[in-house]
Amino acid sequence: NEDKWSPTASFRAMKMFLADAARLKVRVRQLDFIGAYLQSKARGRIFVRMPAVYGELWPEFKAYSGVPLRLLKSMYGMTQSGKNWYLELHEYLISAGFVQSSVIKCFYSKGFPDGSIVKVLDYVDDMLYYGTSAETLKRFETELKARFDLDLMGQAQWYLATRITQHANFDITVDQSRYCTSLVKRYLDKAGCKNVTRVHVTPLPLDFVPTIDDLAKDEAASLVLQEEYNLDYASCIGALIYLALTRTDIIFSVNKLAKFTKRPGENHLKALVHLLRYLRDHIHLGVRYYSDISFAPVTKLLKEHGHELTDLFYAFSDSSWNDDVDNGRSTGCFLIYYMGGIVDHSSNLPDPVALSSAEAEYNQCCLACMATSHLRMFLDELESLPSESPSPATAIFLDSSSAIAMGNSFRDTKHTRHILRRYHFVRVGVEANRYKLLWIATLGQLADIGTKQLPGPLMETMTTYTLVHTQDSSVQEG
């Protein structure tokens, strides 16, 4: 029952890390640990037997063939190796004076007497890092290279199949254009749709209704359909879920289509092909973090709707009502922004069946508040705020004045007393000044992109505030 889990950087942590680099106007650098697992010592008593053939091939090893040998170093293929490597790196960073995050366990930071700081984010053997002083950054690289076998790769350009573009003005763009291109070639071209020239402006057909009524009669019939389309539905959905980490324009579509992975019918396959065609026509989209957020499209949108925020961290929350024809539940969405770009998002289907649109909005607002609470704690560490100093209230934008009233008052009525207690997390947070619920008109509600299939013109408008067009090149600027 040994705990073999080790932390790795999530996508939201990576995006927060990059956004913070844009705030500080510094360049993010990258390094790769060579044979990371082999650089960590084995922990505990672990024994292996050397195959007899080794002794035949290398006579000097013959005396050890068939004899239990205790491991001193970790090996690839061992279930403990990931944990061993994490502990090896963790112990070194702590001994070097770094402080581990209490929220994101693979984030470390270290302050220096001259006021400079170095921050690192690790994903197994890939590390992103930046510093506010060239001298301290160079010292960190030299000391780390003296301890580990690693490759200093310069400015970060690719991380977890994601392109990182660092612009001359210190803005940072994150996109998965290459991954998207590969996905389209892998699934759409195999499905025989290479020569379709019509441009698809929406991820799903506007008349598509996701329902279990369209499921194939059994798994065998579904497999026959997938063979006819030459499309592995489950594999494609898995690839799309990863792409959706940076593509808010498809989160609603992926959310709905993923429900039918076990036994998709013909309508589901047609909708999936439509989504792939949309991606073929909209490959080069990503998220941009601004060193000066006055240039961010979302900042201009908020100003147009009467909101001028001093805080760089805020969220949009929205919900449809009773849109799921199978169970009456309501699709909700939240988008969390930092430095003018999205750092976390979700299109989801909360469990309770809401009895009103206000209740659906309130339930979704709770999920948004929960997500912002997690990232706000991480943000305080990124910005090196003292733990005892209160964080500013996070603005949550809703287009339902009734839901805002429910969140701002502990008064229960016959319309609200049935709501599950956990969703009153919102009320408690508002009272403690952790959140402030602000109204925004429906046309400015960006989270609408994850609650329903929007018509083409509105979809294009929403995309301009959530994503940016990226260059068809991996060349860094500046």
Side-chain angles (χ1 to χ4, degrees):
N1 296 325
E2 178 187 355
D3 181 12
K4 299 169 186 174
W5 177 84
S6 58
T8 54
S10 64
F11 240 83
R12 67 178 66 88
M14 181 191 75
K15 290 187 278 190
M16 288 286 288
F17 187 82
L18 296 174
D20 188 59
R23 176 183 68 89
L24 294 172
K25 295 183 174 62
V26 295
R27 298 297 183 197
V28 181
R29 305 182 71 81
Q30 183 176 5
L31 61 83
D32 176 63
F33 293 97
I34 300 170
Y37 286 3
L38 304 179
Q39 298 191 56
S40 58
K41 61 177 177 285
R43 296 167 189 266
R45 294 169 60 84
I46 302 173
F47 294 86
V48 296
R49 287 183 186 273
M50 185 183 297
V53 68
Y54 278 37
E56 298 172 6
L57 295 173
W58 295 282
E60 62 269 29
F61 294 147
K62 190 169 185 179
Y64 303 104
S65 296
V67 178
L69 302 174
R70 183 178 177 183
L71 279 182
L72 300 180
K73 293 284 187 179
S74 290
M75 299 170 53
Y76 282 88
M78 288 171 45
T79 57
Q80 303 96 328
S81 293
K83 180 68 173 290
N84 290 344
W85 165 245
Y86 159 71
L87 291 173
E88 194 78 21
L89 182 60
H90 167 79
E91 289 168 359
Y92 168 78
L93 291 173
I94 295 301
S95 68
F98 281 80
V99 177
Q100 185 184 33
S101 166
S102 61
V103 183
I104 306 294
K105 292 297 183 180
C106 48
F107 170 73
Y108 299 81
S109 61
K110 179 181 179 180
F112 293 84
D114 62 356
S116 62
I117 191 168
V118 172
K119 302 178 184 179
V120 304
L121 185 73
D122 184 63
Y123 187 95
V124 191
D125 58 351
D126 292 313
M127 178 182 285
L128 295 178
Y129 62 100
Y130 57 79
T132 55
S133 162
E135 182 182 340
T136 53
L137 198 59
K138 185 67 175 176
R139 191 189 319 155
F140 165 70
E141 291 175 340
T142 302
E143 293 174 354
L144 193 65
K145 195 170 179 62
R147 172 61 180 81
F148 297 103
D149 186 12
L150 53 86
D151 180 19
L152 297 174
M153 304 171 68
Q155 286 191 32
Q157 296 187 43
W158 291 95
Y159 196 69
L160 306 181
T162 303
R163 180 173 61 173
I164 301 171
T165 305
Q166 304 189 58
H167 302 275
N169 62 354
F170 293 100
D171 289 0
I172 297 178
T173 302
V174 178
D175 73 89
Q176 293 173 285
S177 300
R178 182 183 291 182
Y179 178 78
C180 184
T181 301
S182 173
L183 187 153
V184 169
K185 286 182 178 179
R186 179 180 177 186
Y187 296 103
L188 186 61
D189 292 357
K190 279 177 60 178
C193 305
K194 187 184 296 187
N195 299 322
V196 177
T197 57
R198 181 170 63 89
V199 174
H200 290 65
V201 295
T202 60
L204 289 178
L206 292 177
D207 59 352
F208 174 67
V209 178
T211 173
I212 59 175
D213 293 340
D214 292 331
L215 289 173
K217 64 178 182 179
D218 53 41
E219 291 186 32
S222 179
L223 288 174
V224 170
L225 278 171
Q226 292 178 63
E227 289 176 2
E228 289 178 3
Y229 277 79
N230 197 18
L231 185 59
D232 186 334
Y233 192 95
S235 173
C236 186
I237 289 295
L240 288 168
I241 288 173
Y242 189 70
L243 179 63
L245 291 171
T246 59
R247 292 288 298 266
T248 51
D249 56 330
I250 66 170
I251 55 175
F252 174 80
S253 310
V254 176
N255 172 21
K256 293 304 174 186
L257 293 177
K259 292 169 53 182
F260 312 108
T261 302
K262 187 174 182 181
R263 193 158 43 97
E266 186 164 13
N267 284 345
H268 305 130
L269 285 160
K270 287 180 178 178
L272 181 57
V273 169
H274 184 105
L275 174 55
L276 291 170
R277 288 172 176 167
Y278 168 83
L279 289 173
R280 177 206 59 191
D281 300 330
H282 301 81
I283 284 178
H284 299 289
L285 290 173
V287 183
R288 186 164 183 147
Y289 303 106
Y290 296 81
S291 56
D292 182 351
I293 64 163
S294 63
F295 292 104
V298 67
T299 303
K300 299 172 184 177
L301 173 79
L302 290 174
K303 285 185 178 179
E304 290 171 3
H305 288 269
H307 298 287
E308 293 203 33
L309 299 179
T310 56
D311 192 15
L312 307 174
F313 181 77
Y314 47 85
F316 293 83
S317 174
D318 192 30
S319 179
S320 60
W321 179 49
N322 195 28
D323 66 302
D324 192 305
V325 297
D326 296 322
N327 52 36
R329 289 155 67 188
S330 307
T331 304
C333 174
F334 64 76
L335 308 176
I336 302 176
Y337 278 81
Y338 180 50
M339 297 308 299
I342 295 173
V343 291
D344 195 15
H345 58 262
S346 174
S347 176
N348 50 69
L349 206 63
D351 288 332
V353 175
L355 302 185
S356 66
S357 59
E359 183 181 337
E361 297 265 8
Y362 183 69
N363 291 345
Q364 182 59 35
C365 181
C366 174
L367 300 184
C369 289
M370 291 162 62
T372 57
S373 292
H374 168 69
L375 291 183
R376 172 63 80 178
M377 290 186 289
F378 183 39
L379 179 60
D380 289 347
E381 294 181 337
L382 279 171
E383 296 183 347
S384 303
L385 295 179
S387 57
E388 63 274 6
S389 63
S391 304
T394 302
I396 312 289
F397 292 100
L398 300 93
D399 59 5
S400 170
S401 55
S402 298
I404 292 174
M406 291 164 66
N408 286 332
S409 172
F410 273 90
R411 179 185 176 187
D412 281 328
T413 69
K414 63 181 180 180
H415 302 294
T416 61
R417 62 173 65 108
H418 66 279
I419 296 175
L420 293 176
R421 190 178 307 164
R422 68 180 294 240
Y423 292 98
H424 294 313
F425 180 85
V426 179
R427 291 180 176 178
V428 175
V430 169
E431 186 179 49
N433 199 38
R434 289 196 293 269
Y435 322 110
K436 54 182 177 182
L437 309 183
L438 302 176
W439 184 83
I440 193 167
T442 300
L443 288 177
Q445 178 51 273
L446 300 183
D448 204 26
I449 200 170
T451 65
K452 62 179 72 72
Q453 180 52 66
L454 302 175
L458 185 54
M459 185 73 189
E460 186 176 352
T461 301
M462 289 291 183
T463 301
T464 60
Y465 293 113
T466 56
L467 300 170
V468 295
H469 289 278
T470 58
Q471 299 175 352
D472 189 11
S473 167
S474 60
V475 177
Q476 299 285 91
E477 296 183 28

